[in-house]
Amino acid sequence: MLMYSKIALGNVKKSLRDFSIYFLTLAVGVALFYSFNSITQQSMVLNLSEDQRRIVQLLSNTISGVSVFLAVIMGFLVVYANQFLIRRRKKEFGMYQILGMTKRNVSKIMSIETLFVGFLALVVGLVAGIFISQFMMFATAHMFNTTLDSFKFVFSQTALIQTVIYFVVMFVVALIFNVTTVSRYKLIDLLNADKVTQTVKVRNLTVSVLLFLASLGIIAYSYTLLQHNGLKQIDDEFAMATALVSVGTALFFFSISGFLLRFMQMQKGFYYKGLHSFILRQFNARVNTAWVSISLVCAMLFVAVCGLGTGFSLVDSMNASFSKLKTYDVSVAINPGSERSYTPGPADSYDYLSVVQKLDPEWDKTIKNAFQVDTYYAQSDPTTPSFTYGSIDAVTGKRFSDYFTGYSGQEDPAQKNVTLMRASQYNKLRVASGLEPVDFGTDGYMVWTLDTNLTKYWQDSLANNPELTIEGHKLHAVGGTLDIAQTQGGPALMPAAGIVVVADQSFPSSTVLTNSYILGNYQTPGDATEAQFRNQMKQYFDDGGLTGNDSDPYSLMLVVTASQYIQSTVGLSGIVTYLALYIGLVLFIACAAILALQQLSEASDNARAYQVLAELGAEKGLASRALFVQIGVYFLFPLLMAAAHATCAMSIMVSVIKSIGNFDVASSIGGVVAVAAALYGGYFLVTYFAARSIIFRGAKRMQ
């Protein structure tokens, strides 16, 4: 066994370039698995609330579940990498058998090599993962909008055990694969492995061009379907768009190799310059034989880019949006009961504040400056709206349906009621937000909205301060016409679609009460009062909510604190962020590793072609540049297609996310580019130098 160990270790040392991609992938995978699975331990040193710790535990459980799926992907990658290593060393294994070794002895050498490289990658990856987790602790603190009193070294035994188990299973699978594969090869096949050539099929030019054009048409149509759907709902249209973009992508890579070379041959000035003809032939042949795997890599890269793009922006966007919700400590949202719901009547206010004070006798002891505001629809009967988005569109010439991408109803969006609020109540909100009240006069109006996907609709519609008419009252714009998130309504009152504020004197005489809101602040701000009020809610309300019945003046009453809302919402966005980054990073390295292994395999097969170039007088520097370009194009090819798909998908995701808050597109793009440069670019460079070494070992005559 000692002899086999020496041979195995010597082989690893001698073939470091061949093992580089395998080792790098294992080490990075281990680091990611450990660092993300240590989230629970990271949170232990943070000043988190009880709600936040529950969210962290949910995140940890979710990551553990996702890790199983990602472990399967990594396991496939490990087997794929070992397939490449075996293929590279077939002749070597044949020589071992000629020298008297049995297949069992050869398998022992491979097993020792696999265990040694795997163990070393596991150790390096764990060290890197522990180091990365220390930085992730600060990211976790930022994500949950909390603080870290002092730095504390974090080590997660649970994450260590989980990671070791995952990768030990991968190594065992790799061992079984290696032993089984070697045992099946005949000696003659091993000795002649380097003489086996691949047959490249030449496709019909006309058919290839037609399929290429068809693929572009299918992809464009799928983009159109997706834009129309707007991620409003997962329906047949969405399924069709997904299926078509998959088919279109596969056809694109299948067809392009059938005419690309011949098309470039017509560009004689370019084709015959330097080694361009050689590069194009190499690239064309590889795409011709590997179009299926390239299509799969493209699909995985698409998911990775979308995941990373979302992950890098979501938390910051949420934190920025919710930081303004601290104007009011407490919000109560009331949906009117049967006595008031969709029963047209005068726009008067039902005194819900007294109802809340009656339900909670301790209310006045903790809450001060509480007041009520109401929202309405202009409606004279239960079925006929008096003021809709279509009414605004008729005046402004804009179409609400062109902007409202989040609407999934069946009726015309233009027939939706516009939400109204009285100017006097709106000014209460402004004063509480530290703003000056607006003078609406007797016939003024303005629109209050959040910075969402509908902001553009209001900006375009109100650009010229149009005159609006409600129940015969002609209204003119006041106060700058548009209030974009300056006035704060708290977590219960966020006018995502926009609220038209109307002067009290011109307010519709017949309305439907849609919602009432009670907003207030603590008598004594601080964590102690927050805890006291939350205890009150548990005592007097059912988990913060109170459901009424037919005899009650309310059908639903929900009490929520700003702190509670921000913590839970940001925490949930944190879950999405961590999962998006985790999945995106693992898929990124998986794709890069697959492309790298394919190029190394190609380099091994084409070493003789480069030797011919040397014999023809090609300089080493020229061949090196040719190899650099060839590998670079191969890496960029699926990435560019995935980026095109991701651009379409992300544009829609941004629109959806902006319905609740702003989305930092610059941060998203910057994050993806940084990861691509670090991981994807790193794999490209390692692949280039490894392939260069493989090729120039067989073409020593190059100078």
Side-chain angles (χ1 to χ4, degrees):
M1 181 60 72
L2 181 61
M3 180 186 69
Y4 299 132
S5 299
K6 289 182 178 180
I7 295 174
L9 296 180
N11 288 339
V12 173
K13 185 178 179 180
K14 181 178 63 177
S15 305
L16 286 177
R17 289 174 290 266
D18 295 339
F19 283 100
S20 57
I21 294 296
Y22 181 55
F23 179 84
L24 178 64
T25 302
L26 287 177
V28 174
V30 169
L32 290 176
F33 269 71
Y34 174 86
S35 55
F36 277 93
N37 281 281
S38 65
I39 180 68
T40 301
Q41 197 65 35
Q42 296 172 32
S43 67
M44 296 298 180
V45 300
L46 303 179
N47 296 319
L48 300 178
S49 66
E50 184 181 345
D51 290 333
Q52 289 174 322
R53 294 198 181 280
R54 282 197 293 267
I55 292 173
V56 169
Q57 188 58 51
L58 175 61
L59 172 60
S60 178
N61 295 338
T62 307
I63 286 178
S64 296
V66 172
S67 294
V68 177
F69 165 72
L70 295 179
V72 173
I73 294 177
M74 289 296 298
F76 164 79
L77 194 58
V78 168
V79 172
Y80 191 82
N82 276 271
Q83 185 179 22
F84 159 74
L85 293 173
I86 291 175
R87 186 178 177 208
R88 280 274 299 135
R89 302 172 63 193
K90 279 183 179 180
K91 191 171 183 178
E92 177 188 336
F93 296 151
M95 294 300 298
Y96 285 152
Q97 294 184 37
I98 289 178
L99 294 174
M101 288 189 184
T102 64
K103 290 183 178 181
R104 178 174 293 183
N105 294 333
V106 175
S107 297
K108 287 181 181 179
I109 294 174
M110 289 189 61
S111 298
I112 295 172
E113 291 176 1
T114 302
L115 291 175
F116 177 76
V117 175
F119 176 77
L120 187 60
L122 187 61
V123 172
V124 173
L126 285 174
V127 172
I130 293 171
F131 180 75
I132 293 171
S133 67
Q134 312 307 312
F135 289 92
M136 285 185 62
M137 183 167 54
F138 293 95
T140 305
H142 171 72
M143 185 173 300
F144 288 95
N145 201 20
T146 187
T147 59
L148 180 65
D149 293 335
S150 61
F151 176 78
K152 296 180 181 178
F153 182 80
V154 174
F155 174 75
S156 175
Q157 185 178 357
T158 303
L160 175 67
I161 294 173
Q162 287 178 328
T163 304
V164 170
I165 290 174
Y166 287 136
F167 282 85
V168 166
V169 172
M170 294 179 199
F171 299 152
V172 171
V173 172
L175 281 175
I176 296 173
F177 169 81
N178 292 345
V179 172
T180 304
T181 302
V182 172
S183 64
R184 290 177 177 176
Y185 284 125
K186 297 178 181 179
L187 180 59
I188 188 67
D189 294 330
L190 294 174
L191 294 175
N192 295 320
D194 58 343
K195 299 179 182 179
V196 177
T197 57
Q198 290 183 337
T199 303
V200 179
K201 296 180 180 179
V202 179
R203 300 191 178 97
N204 183 277
L205 178 61
T206 303
V207 174
S208 296
V209 172
L210 291 176
L211 287 176
F212 177 75
L213 295 175
S215 71
L216 296 181
I218 292 172
I219 292 172
Y221 182 64
S222 68
Y223 287 178
T224 303
L225 285 178
L226 192 60
Q227 291 285 343
H228 179 265
N229 181 272
L231 298 181
K232 294 175 292 190
Q233 49 189 345
I234 309 300
D235 55 7
D236 293 342
E237 185 179 54
F238 179 83
M240 181 178 292
T242 304
L244 286 176
V245 77
S246 301
V247 172
T249 301
L251 281 179
F252 177 86
F253 291 116
F254 174 79
S255 63
I256 196 168
S257 63
F259 74 91
L260 177 64
L261 182 62
R262 277 175 276 189
F263 174 79
M264 296 306 301
Q265 285 174 337
M266 293 186 292
Q267 317 302 318
K268 298 185 183 298
F270 177 83
Y271 184 76
Y272 292 106
K273 183 178 180 180
L275 293 181
H276 288 179
S277 60
F278 179 77
I279 296 171
L280 286 168
R281 285 184 175 277
Q282 295 292 319
F283 176 76
N284 193 79
R286 190 60 192 166
V287 175
N288 197 341
T289 57
W291 64 272
V292 175
S293 62
I294 294 176
S295 300
L296 292 174
V297 166
C298 180
M300 292 169 62
L301 282 173
F302 163 71
V303 176
V305 170
C306 288
L308 292 172
T310 303
F312 280 115
S313 294
L314 188 58
V315 168
D316 285 339
S317 300
M318 291 294 184
N319 284 335
S321 300
F322 296 137
S323 62
K324 299 179 180 180
L325 297 178
K326 299 178 182 179
T327 302
Y328 309 98
D329 295 321
V330 175
S331 300
V332 183
I334 306 103
N335 292 102
S338 58
E339 294 182 8
R340 312 269 309 168
S341 181
Y342 292 95
T343 303
D348 58 349
S349 171
Y350 190 93
D351 188 8
Y352 287 109
L353 181 57
S354 63
V355 175
V356 174
Q357 290 171 328
K358 183 178 179 181
L359 291 171
D360 180 9
E362 304 294 321
W363 176 273
D364 290 333
K365 294 182 180 180
T366 53
I367 305 299
K368 68 175 182 179
N369 301 332
F371 61 93
Q372 177 181 326
V373 296
D374 310 289
T375 56
Y376 302 88
Y377 291 152
Q379 201 160 306
S380 57
D381 64 71
T383 60
T384 308
S386 303
F387 188 57
T388 64
Y389 285 95
S391 306
I392 300 176
D393 294 349
V395 176
T396 63
K398 306 300 179 181
R399 293 181 58 191
F400 181 70
S401 56
D402 293 338
Y403 298 83
F404 194 13
T405 58
Y407 184 64
S408 59
Q410 298 299 318
E411 69 272 18
D412 184 357
Q415 297 304 310
K416 288 176 58 68
N417 273 297
V418 178
T419 303
L420 304 176
M421 178 180 287
R422 286 176 292 182
S424 58
Q425 294 189 339
Y426 169 73
N427 277 328
K428 288 183 181 179
L429 296 172
R430 286 188 63 87
V431 171
S433 303
L435 304 172
E436 293 293 326
V438 176
D439 184 8
F440 285 81
T442 60
D443 58 354
Y445 83 89
M446 69 182 301
V447 175
W448 173 37
T449 184
L450 298 181
D451 186 11
T452 68
N453 58 320
L454 283 180
T455 301
K456 180 66 173 171
Y457 167 77
W458 291 114
Q459 289 174 328
D460 293 347
S461 299
L462 306 179
N464 298 318
N465 297 328
E467 186 179 80
L468 303 179
T469 302
I470 304 178
E471 291 189 351
H473 294 284
K474 295 186 181 297
L475 307 175
H476 69 275
V478 299
T481 313
L482 192 60
D483 176 357
I484 304 176
Q486 288 184 308
T487 303
Q488 299 302 311
L493 178 55
M494 293 188 287
I499 295 176
V500 178
V501 184
V502 179
D504 288 27
Q505 294 87 335
S506 299
F507 206 80
S509 58
S510 183
T511 60
V512 171
L513 178 66
T514 57
N515 290 97
S516 292
Y517 306 91
I518 298 171
L519 308 167
N521 292 302
Y522 293 136
Q523 294 280 3
T524 306
D527 294 339
T529 309
E530 171 76 14
Q532 182 181 348
F533 185 77
R534 297 256 316 255
N535 288 330
Q536 289 175 216
M537 287 196 296
K538 292 179 181 179
Q539 182 176 357
Y540 299 113
F541 294 87
D542 183 12
D543 293 327
L546 184 65
T547 303
N549 53 52
D550 291 340
S551 63
D552 292 327
Y554 47 86
S555 61
L556 178 65
M557 185 179 295
L558 182 64
V559 185
V560 61
T561 69
S563 176
Q564 179 186 19
Y565 183 82
I566 293 172
Q567 288 177 7
S568 61
T569 307
V570 173
L572 291 174
S573 72
I575 292 177
V576 175
T577 295
Y578 261 141
L579 289 178
L581 291 175
Y582 188 28
I583 295 172
L585 288 171
V586 172
L587 290 181
F588 232 104
I589 66 170
C591 293
I594 290 172
L595 294 176
L597 291 169
Q598 288 180 343
Q599 281 301 291
L600 291 179
S601 178
E602 183 80 1
S604 179
D605 295 338
N606 292 333
R608 183 172 178 80
Y610 279 88
Q611 187 173 357
V612 172
L613 284 179
E615 294 172 353
L616 294 174
E619 296 180 353
K620 188 175 181 179
L622 187 63
S624 295
R625 288 193 294 272
L627 181 64
F628 185 89
V629 173
Q630 177 188 327
I631 296 175
V633 172
Y634 194 78
F635 267 72
L636 282 175
F637 203 41
L639 181 61
L640 292 177
M641 176 61 75
H645 296 342
T647 300
C648 177
M650 288 295 292
S651 66
I652 302 171
M653 290 176 62
V654 168
S655 178
V656 173
I657 294 174
K658 287 192 74 174
S659 65
I660 55 174
N662 227 343
F663 190 87
D664 189 357
V665 178
S667 176
S668 176
I669 296 174
V672 174
V673 170
V675 171
L679 287 178
Y680 210 68
Y683 269 92
F684 161 70
L685 291 176
V686 172
T687 303
Y688 165 69
F689 286 113
R692 188 174 180 272
S693 176
I694 292 172
I695 287 173
F696 293 147
R697 272 185 292 175
K700 296 181 180 180
R701 294 180 60 182
M702 285 189 177
Q703 302 296 325

